[in-house]
């Protein structure tokens, strides 16, 4: 399986109902071994951070088997709007 930025973005959008996703390949050679993501989803409403991260990890379970490093930030749409306003 080839893991690309678009693949990760599409999967998070489809499976978690993300309304905004930013994905960055942070591998030194851009070799798809390390990623940083920002995921904004209404499904995160009322859920603690650990549960949100588990949702993302479950969504990307197959991909995480071959990704060496994965950093994530998970926000509700309200939190995202507040962050953008700063």
């Amino acid at each position: 399986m080839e893991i690309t930025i678009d693949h990760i973005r599409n999967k998070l959008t489809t499976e978690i109902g993300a309304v905004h996703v930013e994905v960055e390949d942070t591998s030194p050679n851009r070799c798809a071994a390390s990623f940083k993501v920002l995921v904004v989803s209404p499904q995160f409403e009322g859920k603690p951070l650990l549960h949100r991260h588990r949702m993302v990890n479950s969504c990307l379970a197959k991909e995480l088997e071959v990704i060496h490093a994965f950093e994530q930030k998970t926000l509700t749409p309200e939190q995202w709007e507040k962050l953008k306003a700063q």
Side-chain angles (χ1 to χ4, degrees), residues 1-15 21 23 35 37 59-64 66-67:
M1 162 189 1
E2 182 180 352
I3 301 171
T4 65
I5 288 173
D6 286 336
H7 172 80
I8 292 172
R9 182 182 301 112
N10 292 338
K11 196 160 185 189
L12 290 168
T13 300
T14 303
E15 295 187 20
V21 179
V23 183
F35 290 94
V37 299
C59 175
L60 299 175
K62 285 288 185 197
E63 292 79 1
L64 291 174
V66 294
I67 292 174

Side-chain angles (χ1 to χ4, degrees), residues 12-13 16-22 37-45 56 73-81 83-84:
L12 290 168
T13 300
I16 297 186
V19 294
H20 180 81
V21 179
E22 295 177 12
V37 299
L38 166 67
V39 185
V40 180
S41 174
Q43 290 188 28
F44 296 150
E45 293 285 349
V56 171
K73 184 169 192 167
T74 53
L75 301 171
T76 65
E78 181 182 346
Q79 290 170 323
W80 174 237
E81 290 304 319
L83 187 66
K84 288 192 315 186

Side-chain angles (χ1 to χ4, degrees), residues 16-58:
I16 297 186
V19 294
H20 180 81
V21 179
E22 295 177 12
V23 183
E24 179 184 351
D25 183 346
T26 56
S27 311
N29 314 358
R30 303 291 183 243
C31 62
S34 176
F35 290 94
K36 179 179 181 178
V37 299
L38 166 67
V39 185
V40 180
S41 174
Q43 290 188 28
F44 296 150
E45 293 285 349
K47 293 185 175 64
L49 184 62
L50 183 58
H51 190 174
R52 295 176 187 191
H53 285 200
R54 285 180 178 154
M55 290 171 65
V56 171
N57 290 347
S58 291

